[in-house]
């Protein structure tokens, strides 16, 4: 039977080459899209699951009841890990660590080499709990010494030539005006690409406690920014443990009635990182679901092409079916034959799809920010074969049951007439195809317009021609002298410094709280030097900026409009908030992404703040000014190199996921339209061939070419119009849901939907018209000639 099916595929290819190529192109394109998305989804789902303790590894989180409901964050007090191990027998081990991106880049000095890297502080059991591969050192001992440092292979090689040369050597790290000398106790290998956290070295948390002068005992009322991770004993039920830990803070102090602890699987934080009112409400998993659904729909569109073209040419295969039934073939055997035929076609398309994915994978990686490879892993091979098998069965299902239902007597009499149900099924499939295509077009238009809005939105500060960098060496020790020298450079408009950074990227937890008339209000704080407000171009609504003319400014603050409104202050200038005097009110500015509402914000004057330096450059002079700045920085800091970034690039980083959605949606929409158009083109061709003699008679009787074109395109145009009518309300609901994730968004205008419908209709007309014109120009003699 297999050889017979192969023979029939070959014969059908010779009889219907156009249909064969349309099906092959459609199925291979759809499969290529599905395979590429599968690679991406497989990578996303694998994040953080490589740790040996994955099933027992959890992050401790906290729900805090505020005026607006429950705020969820991962920040906990510094000594919570130690306290939990002592009080909770269910916990095998626990570790505290500074959060990712908690610090700017450190500067490390070893053997007179200066290297910048991302670092973190972590407790002794860090490398025991997490499966970061140690190539030098013992996981239980590398962080035992307070002055120990564990380097990555890359960093150790850069500093000492070879990783093994680094063990026992001293390294000095510096962060702003903080510095310390450490001894290299271990080397860890490359962190897997599917790790949500990437860093270059680890310092001991004991050293951090000394630097920050933390006490030896836990303060249960403290709500710190630190991450606490635990490993439960085998057999411990996480749900029961969650119930036990939830009320832990209630027993420690009466002031903790609004705080509840809970645990989240560590490997869930990457995909399920968003919480609303204390309940997990999405995250990156939404994009996994979205792109999986889109790939499935594109594959379904390709399957519909196969169904429609297979049933459209039914009249050309009915004698074959009649003969087989007369010779004793059962309907079951015919169904199996047609399913095998469609499956073989799909596996042929799978081969082409794999080749296509291999070709486009570099571009796909660039769009998605991944490093995906098409490797022959058993899991992926089984997945790809399974997708191809399901596609083949789906594509061949309707044709198989439809064609196998022909009765021999009816076939040989030539009186076969398609049923109304069959006709409407084919029409419904076409409508479904173009409904999806129109939805994709609307999504592309709306996403593109929202991203344009994000780019052009007045943020309340000037991000153009602004660079920033972390200081080290002499510049960190003499911040004001360093800033004064920078301001003298040609092309520098202004410069200032800050602790931390201005733009907030990614979800934030509950920050420091401002107490006001019995209320606790979360507020974002930023310690800044003089001229920061002016450097960023932030406008003042009332009062003044920080000034060197007022010596008391070190105890005074500038607040934003939102904080004034939240507190209900009528005349905020001169008011005291937490012992700090308000000297100015800044107009609201968007330091978070447009997904979030502008939150209360406070600028605090720190006259020596220069951990991060911000420099405003004159327009059109940035390259030359940066070159001079690099030379100056190297001379000022004893050979160190300047590693700078543009503020605009940091702002764009907040919308990396949205930009990927925008680019991928364009590709997906193009594929959907291409495959749908191929199917429409094939259907029009078969319609024209089926009505060949009718066209010839009409032309002999004087019908114009326009009337023939209208005849062939009328019915299919109606189907596309129905598809547009169905797609528009569905697309409205989808894009409305997506836009709801932005606090500041575009208004949905009518032309987005009308334009998408007209574009789909134009594509359909061009597709159908090309075949209709060809049929209308055929010689009537050729149409009426008897075979």
């Amino acid at each position: 039977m297999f050889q017979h099916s192969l023979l029939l595929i070959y014969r059908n290819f010779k009889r219907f080459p156009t249909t064969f190529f349309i099906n092959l192109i459609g199925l291979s394109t759809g499969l290529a899209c599905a395979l590429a998305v599968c690679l991406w989804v497989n990578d996303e789902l694998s994040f953080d699951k490589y740790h040996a303790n994955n099933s027992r590894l959890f992050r401790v989180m906290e729900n805090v009841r505020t005026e607006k409901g429950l705020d969820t964050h991962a920040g906990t007090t510094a000594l919570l890990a130690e306290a939990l191990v002592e009080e909770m027998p269910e916990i095998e081990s626990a570790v505290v660590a500074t959060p990712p991106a908690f610090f700017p880049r450190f500067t490390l000095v070893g053997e007179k080499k200066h290297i910048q890297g991302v670092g973190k502080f972590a407790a002794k059991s860090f490398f025991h709990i997490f499966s970061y591969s140690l190539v030098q050192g013992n996981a239980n001992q590398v962080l035992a010494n307070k002055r120990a440092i564990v380097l990555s292979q890359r960093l150790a090689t850069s500093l000492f030539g070879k990783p093994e040369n680094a063990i026992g050597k001293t390294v000095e790290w510096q962060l702003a005006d903080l510095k310390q000398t450490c001894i290299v106790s271990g080397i860890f290998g490359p962190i897997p690409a599917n790790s949500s956290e990437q860093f270059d070295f680890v310092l001991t948390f004991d050293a951090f406690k000394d630097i920050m002068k933390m006490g030896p005992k836990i303060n249960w009322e403290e709500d710190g920014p630190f991450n606490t991770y635990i490993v439960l004993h085998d057999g411990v039920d996480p749900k029961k443990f969650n119930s036990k830990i939830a009320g832990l803070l209630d027993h420690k102090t009466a002031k903790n009635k609004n705080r509840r602890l809970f645990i989240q699987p560590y490997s869930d934080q990457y995909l399920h990182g968003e919480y609303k009112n204390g309940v997990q409400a999405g995250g990156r998993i939404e994009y996994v679901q979205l792109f999986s659904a889109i790939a499935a729909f594109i594959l379904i569109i390709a399957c519909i092409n196969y169904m429609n073209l297979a049933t459209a040419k039914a009249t050309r295969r009915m004698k074959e079916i009649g003969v087989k039934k007369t010779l004793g073939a059962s309907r079951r055997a015919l169904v199996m034959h047609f399913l095998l035929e469609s499956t073989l076609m799909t596996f042929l398309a799978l081969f082409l799809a794999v080749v296509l994915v291999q070709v486009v994978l570099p571009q796909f990686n660039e769009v998605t920010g991944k490093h995906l490879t098409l490797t022959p892993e058993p899991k992926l091979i089984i997945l790809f074969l399974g997708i191809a098998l399901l596609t083949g069965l789906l594509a061949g299902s309707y044709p198989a049951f439809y064609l196998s239902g022909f009765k021999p007597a009816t076939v040989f009499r030539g009186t076969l007439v398609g049923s109304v149900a069959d006709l409407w099924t084919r029409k419904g499939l076409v409508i479904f195809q173009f409904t999806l295509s129109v939805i994709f077009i609307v999504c592309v238009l709306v996403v593109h317009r929202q991203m344009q809005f994000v780019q052009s939105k007045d943020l309340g500060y000037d991000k153009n021609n602004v660079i920033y960098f972390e200081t080290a060496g002499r510049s960190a020790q003499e911040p004001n002298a360093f800033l004064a020298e920078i301001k003298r450079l040609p092309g520098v408009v202004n410069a200032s410094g800050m602790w931390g950074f201005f733009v907030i990227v990614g979800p934030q937890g509950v920050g420091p709280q401002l107490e006001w008339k019995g209320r606790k209000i979360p507020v974002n704080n930023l310690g800044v030097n003089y001229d920061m407000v002016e450097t960023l171009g932030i406008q003042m609504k009332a009062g003044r900026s920080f000034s060197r003319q007022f010596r008391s400014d070190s105890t005074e603050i500038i607040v934003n409009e939102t904080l004034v409104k939240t507190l209900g202050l009528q005349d905020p200038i001169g008011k005291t908030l937490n012992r700090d005097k308000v000297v100015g009110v800044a107009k609201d500015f968007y330091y978070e992404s447009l997904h979030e509402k502008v939150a209360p914000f406070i600028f605090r004057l720190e006259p020596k703040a220069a951990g991060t330096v911000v420099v405003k450059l004159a327009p059109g002079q940035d390259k030359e000014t940066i070159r001079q700045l690099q030379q100056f920085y190297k001379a000022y800091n004893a050979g160190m190199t300047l590693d700078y970034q543009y503020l605009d690039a940091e702002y764009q980083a907040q919308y990396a996921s949205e930009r990927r959605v925008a680019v991928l949606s364009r590709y997906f929409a193009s594929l959907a339209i291409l495959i749908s158009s191929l199917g429409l083109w094939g259907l029009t061709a078969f319609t024209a061939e089926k009505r060949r003699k009718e066209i010839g008679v009409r032309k002999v009787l004087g019908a114009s070419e326009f009337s023939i074109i209208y005849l062939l395109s009328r019915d299919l145009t109606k189907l596309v119009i129905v598809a547009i009518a169905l797609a528009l309300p569905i697309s409205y609901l989808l894009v409305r849901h997506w836009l709801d994730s932005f606090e500041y968004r575009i208004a949905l205008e009518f032309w987005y939907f009308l334009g998408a419908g007209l574009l789909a209709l134009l594509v359909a007309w061009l597709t159908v018209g090309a075949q209709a014109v060809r049929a209308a120009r055929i010689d009537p003699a050729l149409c009426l000639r008897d075979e």
Side-chain angles (χ1 to χ4, degrees), residues 4-47:
H4 180 62
S5 295
L6 284 177
L7 179 61
L8 284 179
I9 289 176
Y10 173 70
R11 287 176 177 174
N12 284 323
F13 163 66
K14 292 182 67 177
R15 291 178 65 193
F16 314 113
T18 301
T19 304
F20 180 85
F21 281 117
I22 289 176
N23 284 331
L24 188 62
I25 293 172
L27 288 172
S28 60
T29 304
L31 283 170
C33 176
L35 299 188
V37 171
C38 277
L39 289 174
W40 180 79
V41 169
N42 181 63
D43 183 74
E44 289 284 287
L45 294 178
S46 70
F47 261 70

Side-chain angles (χ1 to χ4, degrees), residues 2 28 50 91 106 124 196 215 224 227 247 250 284 397 443 446 453 466 490 501 508 511 626 659 677 739 761 785:
F2 182 76
S28 60
Y50 60 88
I91 296 177
F106 289 71
K124 177 182 176 180
S196 61
N227 288 157
D250 289 344
R284 290 182 66 90
S397 59
C443 291
V446 172
F453 172 79
V466 177
F501 194 58
Q508 303 294 310
I626 289 173
R659 286 201 306 276
S677 298
L739 286 174
L761 191 59
R785 185 174 59 191

Side-chain angles (χ1 to χ4, degrees), residues 501-502 504 508-514 521-527 558-560 563 589 591-592 597-604:
F501 194 58
F502 173 65
I504 296 177
Q508 303 294 310
V510 177
Q513 294 188 331
L514 172 68
I521 300 168
V523 177
N524 287 293
N525 287 263
L526 185 66
I558 296 173
V559 301
N560 68 346
L563 180 55
F589 52 93
Y591 57 91
E592 294 182 280
K597 284 185 177 180
V598 175
F601 192 92
I602 293 176
F603 282 117
R604 298 184 182 278

